[in-house]
Amino acid sequence: ADVLIGDLRRLPGRFGLLVTAIEYRAKRFEAAQVHLNATLHCLHGAERERVLGLAPLLHPDSVPAYRQRTAAERDSICEAFWWSHDPTPTTRANERLVEHVARLVDGDFYFVPARRRRAGIETDRGEIYLRYGPPSAAKRSAEYDYPAWHWTYRNAQGPVASFVFLDAMLNGDYHRLRRGAGSDFMHP
């Protein structure tokens, strides 16, 4: 595995994101940050926006205002956001940003639809995974007419959020069962 990682370290672009995720999973945060920084320098504006952009994390009402900004303004906003969310600002690694990139890589790996040409994080499951991370509990649900997954997120006080994903077309592309506008951002 170390030989493979060593070879990938010399490759720019999306392979650098994969190495960042691998280093994050191995809890080598400083190494992950080094690979992420090198990768970000190799990416052009749209790819950099895909990695660092805040649109998937924002409330739906805030996304149009965010997208109206120029590319330079969005980049500055993202930079400030990730710096403000660094749990340990005295280290060189921004663990929250590295975790975000690892979620991005995981989402693209786990949730890409087999018959549709789009990234895994552009699916409903990928979007929730990117925003909230791995669910506290994920189980197949038999209470619907179609294949379904039920994801629950918890903290010390109890359930925080719950999502149901249905495969109504039976093509492996699970869509989120939505209760109403903005309900994903409301507390129970």
Side-chain angles (χ1 to χ4, degrees), residues 64-85:
Y66 172 76
R67 293 209 190 276
Q68 285 180 343
R69 305 281 185 170
T70 66
E73 288 174 328
R74 285 193 309 269
D75 196 47
S76 295
I77 290 169
C78 292
E79 193 83 22
F81 174 85
W82 292 117
W83 274 105
S84 69
H85 285 79

Side-chain angles (χ1 to χ4, degrees), residues 1-10 19 22-23 26 28 31 35:
D2 288 336
V3 173
L4 175 64
I5 292 172
D7 292 339
L8 288 176
R9 285 182 179 143
R10 292 188 290 275
V19 173
I22 290 169
E23 295 289 1
R28 294 188 293 257
H35 293 296

